[in-house]
Amino acid sequence: VESQGMLCAAQELGLPEGEDGLLILPADTEVGTPLRELYPRDTVLTVEVTPNRPDLLSHIGMAREIAALSRKPLLPPVAQASSLSASAGDKLAACPTPAPPTHKLEACATAIPVTLESGGCPHYIARRIEGVKTGPSPAWLRQKLEAVGLRAINNLVDVTNFVMLELGQPLHAFDAAKIEGGLTVRAATEGEKLLALDGEEYTLTADDMVIADERQALAIAGVMGGEKSGTTSETNSVILESAWFTPGQIRRTARTLGLSSDSSYRFEREVDPAGVERASLRAAQLITEIAGGQITGFTESGHAAAEERVVPLRAGRCSAVAGTEIPVEQIAEILGGLGLTGTPDGWRVPSYRPDLTREIDLIEEVIRVCGIENIPPSLTGQYVSSSEADLTHDRSMVLRQVLAASGFYECRNVSLISAREAEENPMASTDLLPLKNPMSEDQTILRPDLLPGLLRVLAHNLRAGEKSVRLCEIGRVFRGSGAEESLHLALVLTGCLIPAGWNTAAEELANFHDLKGV
């Protein structure tokens, strides 16, 4: 059977998922154009960012880090030339450089009244942009979002996502026509419900924070916007939100609701307080260029929470910790490349680096950029007298060896158990120490003794068909009164004393006296 080929969807070609159905190219696409010209190849780096480095959750922050590590200057983004032919329809336009306007529009009308009732939001900026035309984003914007796994929605939402990825500051666009009165950042009322953009309805508590108008909650602050106030194809006026939320507040809400978003991921790690205004200006610039319209109002409530930090650093201390001489000029070059500025009292730390608070933090940065592999090794071990901790460890090791020689296998169980295990424990205790913020229902209580974990392991072995089991564990247990902890030993023995071999029969079943003998 002769085949002329088949029509494919974007997903079948390994491209980012778009609309359902076949991948339809623009009508004026020239027949025979290689697909790689319509969808240029991109390079995606998958990076694991540690929780203490929120500045790396943006392309600008990552570029700053790479420039510092490679000892090269940080260059501003430049417009990208198009690789599409003019006949390819939706031309890949140049990405505008992040050079936002510097005005704050104080002379313009108020965008919308904003009231901050919750201490979880010390700074909030709202910009009103009227006359926008909501529609598909240009090709360059869709391509950049799809390259990092985000689905293009419309030009307004895509701009907020683009700026979040570029500068690290989450943003949100409200449909201005759907807001009644002003905006209020407040604590949610107990049992208040909100239909989020993911289509799920969430029940909030007084510990959560919302953005609300005079009638209802519009968004879960710092986590996700609401469905009822989101932008649609009919939106022609938007309120652009840019704010700074306290990390603990957002982390607690996201954990309680089981709702993690790109915004909450950044807010709960602390975004740059100085970036709130910069991101708002950048997004407003892009929206007016892409969706048209005009900025007609500006409202700023509160103030940025940025704190001026000057951290002292002694060059001699830096060399002593590193174990090798690091010149003062090299220290200055490294810290300057990371964005720090030298002062007579020390080094002024930029607001996007909340992790640098002590002298040892700066020393760690210097050594990290220098490269651990470039520091020569040295043998500087010295005698340390034995301590009580050493003796306790030695006694425990001797005990482990004796138990192993008696046929026992050592277990290492998690020190957290569930409430059900605590109730079913043969040595059940009411003196329990529960966690205030448990990670899961199976780990809510610090174990009062070792038996629940050992019995869990024993049951697993019996289900696997093992008839004779000897288990032991040496670990810490916890009591609620006085929040005490102590070191305990627990033994479990079941089955025959000596299992049957090829030339011997199994001895009688073990009993309590056998365990007591051990």
Side-chain angles (χ1 to χ4, degrees), residues 166-497:
E166 181 184 63
L167 302 180
Q169 169 67 40
L171 303 165
H172 183 65
F174 294 101
D175 189 332
K178 299 177 181 178
I179 300 177
E180 295 188 8
L183 290 177
T184 302
V185 184
R186 60 170 174 81
T189 58
E190 195 70 32
E192 187 172 11
K193 298 182 182 297
L194 185 139
L195 180 63
L197 288 173
D198 61 356
E200 298 289 335
E201 185 177 65
Y202 295 93
T203 302
L204 309 177
T205 68
D207 292 330
D208 302 320
M209 187 168 57
V210 297
I211 313 297
D213 62 5
E214 294 181 354
R215 183 180 58 176
Q216 61 185 348
L218 304 176
I220 305 173
V223 180
M224 187 170 291
E227 182 75 27
K228 296 181 179 179
S229 61
T231 58
T232 65
S233 58
E234 300 176 355
T235 299
N236 54 31
S237 178
V238 298
I239 300 296
L240 180 64
E241 169 196 282
S242 182
W244 194 90
F245 300 107
T246 55
Q249 173 76 50
I250 305 304
R251 189 182 306 116
R252 180 170 56 251
T253 296
R255 190 72 54 81
T256 302
L257 298 179
L259 178 60
S260 179
S261 63
D262 291 320
S263 295
S264 66
Y265 187 81
R266 287 163 174 79
F267 277 128
E268 65 188 31
R269 285 160 176 78
E270 188 172 347
V271 299
D272 181 10
V276 176
E277 170 72 1
R278 180 169 59 248
S280 178
L281 287 168
R282 170 65 167 155
Q285 172 210 17
L286 288 176
I287 288 176
T288 54
E289 291 182 2
I290 295 173
Q294 184 179 5
I295 304 173
T296 60
F298 169 82
T299 303
E300 182 173 15
S301 295
H303 58 84
E307 295 182 0
E308 186 75 9
R309 295 196 312 277
V310 176
V311 180
L313 175 62
R314 297 164 292 175
R317 177 60 179 166
C318 183
S319 298
V321 173
T324 187
E325 184 68 25
I326 300 180
V328 177
E329 297 78 11
Q330 186 177 4
I331 295 176
E333 177 188 1
I334 292 173
L335 295 181
L338 293 172
L340 282 71
T341 55
T343 69
D345 298 325
W347 287 90
R348 181 174 289 107
V349 180
S351 57
Y352 56 78
R353 289 301 302 270
D355 57 311
L356 303 182
T357 59
R358 305 169 299 165
E359 181 183 41
I360 194 64
D361 296 330
L362 301 188
I363 295 175
E364 181 180 308
E365 291 297 289
V366 172
I367 296 175
R368 181 174 64 88
V369 176
C370 282
I372 289 291
E373 68 279 1
N374 296 323
I375 296 179
S378 60
L379 296 176
T380 58
Q382 63 186 60
Y383 170 77
V384 178
S385 58
S386 180
S387 65
E388 183 59 33
D390 296 327
L391 297 176
T392 302
H393 173 77
D394 293 342
R395 287 193 291 267
S396 298
M397 289 306 299
V398 171
L399 186 55
R400 288 183 171 92
Q401 294 168 0
V402 171
L403 291 171
S406 301
F408 284 81
Y409 288 89
E410 184 181 2
C411 298
R412 293 286 183 90
N413 288 302
V414 179
S415 58
L416 297 171
I417 61 175
S418 65
R420 179 182 56 82
E421 287 179 310
E423 294 174 358
E424 297 176 353
N425 179 18
M427 299 175 61
S429 172
T430 57
D431 192 13
L432 302 177
L433 189 61
L435 297 185
K436 292 183 178 179
N437 188 22
M439 299 288 288
S440 68
E441 294 182 357
D442 294 332
Q443 298 180 352
T444 60
I445 297 175
L446 284 165
R447 61 187 180 189
D449 57 72
L450 303 177
L451 273 182
L454 278 183
L455 293 177
R456 190 188 319 121
V457 177
L458 174 62
H460 178 77
N461 279 270
L462 294 177
R463 285 194 298 267
E466 186 65 41
K467 303 300 183 182
S468 299
V469 183
R470 294 189 179 199
L471 303 174
C472 68
E473 181 172 8
I474 300 175
R476 295 194 174 275
V477 301
F478 307 86
R479 299 292 181 182
S481 57
E484 297 178 353
E485 64 175 271
S486 55
L487 195 63
H488 281 216
L489 163 67
L491 304 175
V492 169
L493 173 61
T494 186
C496 299
L497 283 176

